[in-house]
Amino acid sequence: MNLKSFGEVFPLGTHICREPMPAMSEMKRDMALVKAKGFNLIKLQENWMLDEPSEGRIDLSRYEELIDHAGKLDLGVYLGLTCEQAPNWLYEKYPDARMVRKDGLPVAFQAQSTLHADGKPGPCYDHPGAMQAQLRFIAQLTKTLGRFENLVVWNTWQEISYWAEMLTGGSVCYCENTIKAYQAWLSGLYGGDIGRLNAHWNVRYPSFESVQPDRCARKLSVPQQYYYSYFMDNVQIANVLKARCETIKANDPLHRPVFAHKGGPSLTSGADWTYARTQDFLGSSNYPAWGNGSPWDDHRQSRYIPKHDGLLTELWDGLAYKMDYIRSANRPDAPIWAAEFQGGRVSTDLFPGRVPTGEQMRRFLLTTLATGATAVSFWVTRAEIMAPETNGFSLLDSEGDTTERLDAVETLNRTLQARAPLFNANNRPQAQVALLVDEWNYRVLQGMDFAPEVLSYELRGWYKHLWQRGIPCDFVEASQLSDPRTMGYRAIIAPFAHAMSDVVAQNLIDFAQQGGHVLLEAAPGMLSEVAMAPRGMMNPLIRRALGVTMTSHSLVREPGERDRFSQPERTWGEYEQAGMMQGMGPLEGTKLRASVMVETYSSDTARPLMSWQGRPCGYDAAVGEGSMMLIGSCLGFCATAYQDDDSKKAMDSILEMLSVEPEHMGRLLLTRRVGDKCQAWFVTNPYDEEIEETFQVNGNAILVDESGERALGSGEIRLRLKQLDVQLVIVEE
């Protein structure tokens, strides 16, 4: 295996080792087992602390032995760095390289093993000595291990993050080096003119050196606070990622791809778009059975998670939502790696999770492939040996040569390898509709107590509604709105765009003027990107484009007597009673539940679409060649909390007005990947009953199921899917 031959397969891998390693004989035997099952890739996770226990004494012999053995089996190697787990000598040599918490205390925690959390948060690499030592080690590792041709990909960060609040009790980093880097970044951002910063933030700093990160214990939506969190996530971490990537590229003679992966996407944040541009591409971990939905969801209101709803949520929420987000964050045409994929039961301490059946594993994989994933690497090969994840996550049990779930992977893999060019390329067609992600909206709302959860639930709810209607969607970050590719969308939906800059507002207007359709919800631009409220309680550019004026804004109660998500009322009269918005004009006859809040408007020019207690609460207006629509509530909630058929039908009618339609006009869901001479159709039955429907095929259709491949013919074909089934159909020209 080398880089050229690796490009001709679908990368299917599995993690063999991290410290502490199993016995070398076991790892070599397991390599042979997975090779016999059709795998072509193994992952090795190195560990800086153990690989350079004394400064300058680097020992990579164990990895060299494993890579060499993999080469003899014609297996590629995926090598991951663990530089957060820094050696003790680094802290002894540079005691001021420790990260500092918000309360001023240095982080004393030094991970001695990869659990917990792969050594996070680690040293602060804004310290020049620590950064130099890290990059020197990476350069030597690249030169030493890079001589093996079967090493085919590098991973610079195992689940990008610091997780400092969870691991050390406080956010990081507030050391002198990072604060100086922050001040230098601000100076560059504002062209060295402190007056520009003062005018933008509405403050009066005498110099950039006087701008200190806010250390208030309370969250606040003020730029003095959230600009620092933006810097840490989008600049400081990005700088570390970039430095690692550049060092590998400078020392790798074979110029192999370099990526990093997240533990999961930063949903509602734009940070993943930043990370993806520091590497060749960005991947994600995938653990669909490690949690199940939100406490606000309908199916989480009973004492026990219902089987059908629980298994369905694993597919749309645990896999599809997150991988579509990561795919969208990457550059167009970049690889999309499921860089860690659940191989067996989730295990935490003495709490073992469900062991996925072969059928469930097949559904997991097909759902992930439907999002456009171009590679899958399982975590792990054989049952974990280390607490707290003992005996978990693995394709193989503690003993034995195969399992039902591994056999299911082997069966599906035959199709993936037989048609590797179809599955190893980023070939999901651009969707009709994109959901807007705005990093500055996210940052402003993070300073509030309730709003971040509203934004998160809104985005997720919209995704679920689109997914369950068989409408593929992308996510577009606000910084990408002016990209020509964005004009390929028919519509952009902006869930809870509460904080909005004039730049973002104008870009949305420009999108509409050029023929696109924009849907806005309650409170669009009620705050600016520096958390200042414009008069009229709405972004003025949006207000003028729509031709509307806000007449009321209020919270609205949830149905019934229980509150899942509402803030406790401070006194009488703060909430309007629960109810349904009524359709008007083109939405006449529809009803849509008001969730979280409800706004009403007036207009002399826009067309009314919805009313609340007799007052208009929704309008649309022609804007250039396209349109903009405003509905004064939080619509995404209707897909997951207090669901009702009327609201779902109203949301479907709104999508029709946005010129957005399903890939298949039926109950079954269709997602496609398009290759040069064939397509992969992923057909899903999300319902708790068997469904049979007809599909029109231009070409020859081949059904790929557990028993192999079966020709379906051309023209009109029929597919019968049992409940929660996912089927793969290959359509050849």
Side-chain angles (χ1 to χ4, degrees):
M1 182 70 68
N2 56 33
L3 197 57
K4 182 179 182 299
S5 57
F6 188 65
E8 297 170 353
V9 302
F10 175 82
L12 182 70
T14 178
H15 192 99
I16 288 290
C17 73
R18 64 174 171 181
E19 293 290 354
M21 291 185 182
M24 184 66 73
S25 59
E26 176 183 288
M27 290 187 289
K28 289 181 176 180
R29 183 172 180 272
D30 285 349
M31 282 190 212
L33 285 175
V34 297
K35 172 64 179 179
K37 291 287 186 180
F39 284 65
N40 49 47
L41 183 70
I42 61 161
K43 183 186 177 188
L44 306 178
Q45 184 179 345
E46 72 80 29
N47 184 300
W48 186 16
M49 171 181 280
L50 299 181
D51 297 337
E52 191 180 7
S54 300
E55 185 175 9
R57 185 167 65 85
I58 298 175
D59 182 4
L60 301 171
S61 58
R62 291 167 299 171
Y63 306 107
E64 292 176 283
E65 183 175 351
L66 289 167
I67 296 171
D68 180 68
H69 188 74
K72 293 174 181 176
L73 295 170
D74 197 29
L75 285 167
V77 173
Y78 152 24
L79 189 84
L81 306 181
T82 314
C83 292
E84 285 61 58
Q85 192 169 353
N88 292 326
W89 61 259
L90 184 80
Y91 295 102
E92 293 168 359
K93 184 174 183 178
Y94 304 114
D96 55 340
R98 293 185 181 279
M99 286 196 167
V100 175
R101 297 192 325 190
K102 190 174 185 178
D103 59 9
L105 292 175
V107 174
F109 170 65
Q110 293 174 217
Q112 296 299 309
S113 60
T114 45
L115 281 175
H116 300 294
D118 304 301
K120 297 177 180 69
C124 180
Y125 289 120
D126 287 326
H127 187 287
M131 175 63 92
Q132 183 182 19
Q134 172 196 215
L135 299 184
R136 174 192 50 76
F137 169 75
I138 293 173
Q140 186 58 55
L141 178 143
T142 305
K143 293 173 183 176
T144 301
L145 301 183
R147 74 180 193 276
F148 293 97
E149 286 193 354
N150 65 311
L151 197 160
V152 292
V153 65
W154 308 91
N155 185 331
T156 61
W157 199 323
Q158 175 81 18
E159 298 190 328
I160 304 164
S161 190
Y162 291 132
W163 298 342
E165 292 86 348
M166 174 180 69
L167 296 167
T168 72
S171 60
V172 293
C173 176
Y174 294 79
C175 74
E176 181 179 341
N177 292 304
T178 299
I179 292 175
K180 286 181 178 178
Y182 170 61
Q183 293 164 344
W185 170 72
L186 283 176
S187 179
L189 187 66
Y190 288 98
D193 184 352
I194 191 64
R196 285 179 57 193
L197 181 147
N198 286 332
H200 193 209
W201 291 15
N202 199 16
V203 292
R204 298 296 179 270
Y205 287 111
S207 67
F208 287 102
E209 290 71 27
S210 64
V211 183
Q212 294 287 319
D214 185 273
R215 302 199 189 207
C216 180
R218 179 184 174 186
K219 295 192 299 180
L220 293 171
S221 288
V222 293
Q224 299 94 305
Q225 187 171 99
Y226 61 77
Y227 263 70
Y228 199 69
S229 69
Y230 176 94
F231 168 79
M232 284 301 302
D233 285 349
N234 289 273
V235 181
Q236 200 274 347
I237 287 178
N239 286 341
V240 176
L241 283 164
K242 185 177 180 182
R244 292 177 184 175
C245 180
E246 290 177 346
T247 300
I248 290 174
K249 287 183 175 294
N251 290 278
D252 179 10
L254 298 183
H255 308 294
R256 285 158 280 210
V258 183
F259 83 112
H261 80 276
K262 301 289 299 299
S266 299
L267 299 166
T268 71
S269 165
D272 292 342
W273 277 256
T274 300
Y275 300 153
R277 282 146 189 81
T278 67
Q279 316 283 292
D280 292 326
F281 59 95
L282 182 69
S284 181
S285 296
N286 303 258
Y287 294 96
W290 203 339
N292 196 266
S294 164
W296 296 353
D297 291 349
D298 287 345
H299 82 280
R300 294 294 302 273
Q301 304 314 304
S302 58
R303 183 178 180 186
Y304 304 110
I305 295 175
K307 179 180 178 181
H308 178 268
D309 290 322
L311 295 178
L312 178 64
T313 302
E314 290 178 359
L315 298 185
W316 77 262
D317 188 17
L319 289 170
Y321 177 34
K322 296 175 174 61
M323 283 302 290
D324 270 337
Y325 200 91
I326 287 291
R327 173 182 54 78
S328 299
N330 272 286
R331 298 180 184 91
D333 303 325
I336 311 297
W337 275 52
E340 288 184 25
F341 201 90
Q342 183 177 336
R345 73 189 331 158
V346 172
S347 178
T348 53
D349 296 312
L350 294 178
F351 189 174
R354 180 186 88 246
V355 178
T357 64
E359 180 183 30
Q360 290 164 0
M361 184 62 77
R362 181 180 175 84
R363 289 205 301 260
F364 287 169
L365 284 169
L366 289 174
T367 299
T368 302
L369 290 167
T371 68
T374 62
V376 173
S377 182
F378 285 91
W379 188 281
V380 290
T381 305
R382 189 168 293 280
E384 283 273 12
I385 62 173
M386 187 179 178
E389 296 182 356
T390 309
N391 294 318
F393 300 97
S394 54
L395 288 167
L396 289 167
D397 295 331
S398 182
E399 296 179 329
D401 292 348
T402 194
T403 60
E404 178 187 342
R405 57 192 179 276
L406 179 54
D407 289 343
V409 176
E410 178 187 19
T411 299
L412 179 58
N413 184 47
R414 295 192 193 107
T415 295
L416 302 181
Q417 302 308 331
R419 296 176 174 84
L422 177 60
F423 295 104
N424 67 13
N426 183 347
N427 52 18
R428 253 277 296 265
Q430 184 172 357
Q432 305 169 46
V433 59
L435 296 173
L436 180 67
V437 174
D438 185 344
E439 173 68 1
W440 287 108
N441 185 41
Y442 168 82
R443 292 294 158 187
V444 171
L445 298 188
Q446 285 296 302
M448 303 180 187
D449 292 327
F450 176 55
E453 288 77 20
V454 173
L455 174 61
S456 177
Y457 205 67
E458 271 283 270
L459 188 71
R460 176 176 172 270
W462 264 112
Y463 180 85
K464 184 196 176 186
H465 185 81
L466 292 167
W467 185 87
Q468 201 150 14
R469 288 297 182 265
I471 302 173
C473 83
D474 296 339
F475 298 85
V476 61
E477 215 283 323
S479 62
Q480 307 296 310
L481 282 173
S482 59
D483 190 298
R485 188 172 185 271
T486 301
M487 284 310 305
Y489 296 112
R490 296 180 187 174
I492 292 176
I493 298 172
F496 198 51
H498 190 69
M500 183 186 296
S501 70
D502 285 348
V503 172
V504 171
Q506 187 60 56
N507 282 335
L508 290 172
I509 293 168
D510 291 345
F511 173 80
Q513 287 176 332
Q514 296 176 63
H517 304 284
V518 176
L519 171 60
L520 298 162
E521 297 183 332
M526 184 173 280
L527 295 174
S528 72
E529 78 281 8
V530 288
M532 297 293 171
R535 297 306 184 194
M537 300 175 67
M538 189 186 304
N539 178 274
L541 300 180
I542 295 294
R543 181 180 173 184
R544 285 197 295 271
L546 279 162
V548 301
T549 299
M550 187 184 299
T551 55
S552 70
H553 171 92
S554 178
L555 297 175
V556 63
R557 292 194 188 280
E558 301 173 37
E561 297 299 321
R562 293 182 58 193
D563 286 342
R564 301 184 199 174
F565 46 77
S566 297
Q567 299 180 91
E569 59 185 3
R570 290 160 296 199
T571 184
W572 179 87
E574 293 187 320
Y575 279 83
E576 295 205 27
Q577 295 300 317
M580 306 288 281
M581 300 178 288
Q582 305 294 320
M584 302 174 66
L587 295 179
E588 184 74 35
T590 66
K591 295 189 293 185
L592 180 60
R593 185 175 304 285
S595 298
V596 183
M597 62 185 67
V598 63
E599 292 177 345
T600 61
Y601 315 101
S602 65
S603 176
D604 294 329
T605 58
R607 177 174 58 172
L609 297 177
M610 284 273 172
S611 69
W612 173 256
Q613 297 178 355
R615 296 167 291 162
C617 64
Y619 282 96
D620 76 336
V623 179
E625 298 297 318
S627 70
M628 300 188 77
M629 182 187 303
L630 173 63
I631 305 292
S633 192
C634 295
L635 279 58
F637 277 63
C638 296
T640 47
Y642 303 107
Q643 298 175 68
D644 65 88
D645 289 340
D646 285 337
S647 293
K648 292 178 180 178
K649 290 176 182 177
M651 291 177 72
D652 289 342
S653 297
I654 289 170
L655 290 172
E656 288 178 15
M657 291 183 65
L658 297 174
S659 299
V660 174
E661 58 188 15
E663 288 284 298
H664 165 68
M665 301 305 293
R667 298 178 71 196
L668 296 176
L669 318 181
L670 172 63
T671 306
R672 298 179 301 118
R673 293 178 63 166
V674 180
D676 289 337
K677 295 184 178 180
C678 62
Q679 299 184 15
W681 288 16
F682 300 88
V683 184
T684 302
N685 176 8
Y687 299 99
D688 196 10
E689 61 180 318
E690 187 175 89
I691 297 176
E692 182 176 353
E693 288 183 347
T694 300
F695 291 76
Q696 191 68 33
V697 174
N698 295 321
N700 296 313
I702 302 168
L703 177 67
V704 181
D705 60 20
E706 298 87 340
S707 60
E709 298 187 358
R710 176 165 56 89
L712 297 176
S714 60
E716 188 174 276
I717 65 170
R718 293 193 67 81
L719 293 176
R720 180 188 295 272
L721 275 71
K722 58 187 176 182
Q723 60 181 8
L724 284 181
D725 195 9
V726 185
Q727 290 190 3
L728 171 61
V729 176
I730 304 297
V731 179
E732 299 177 333
E733 291 183 3

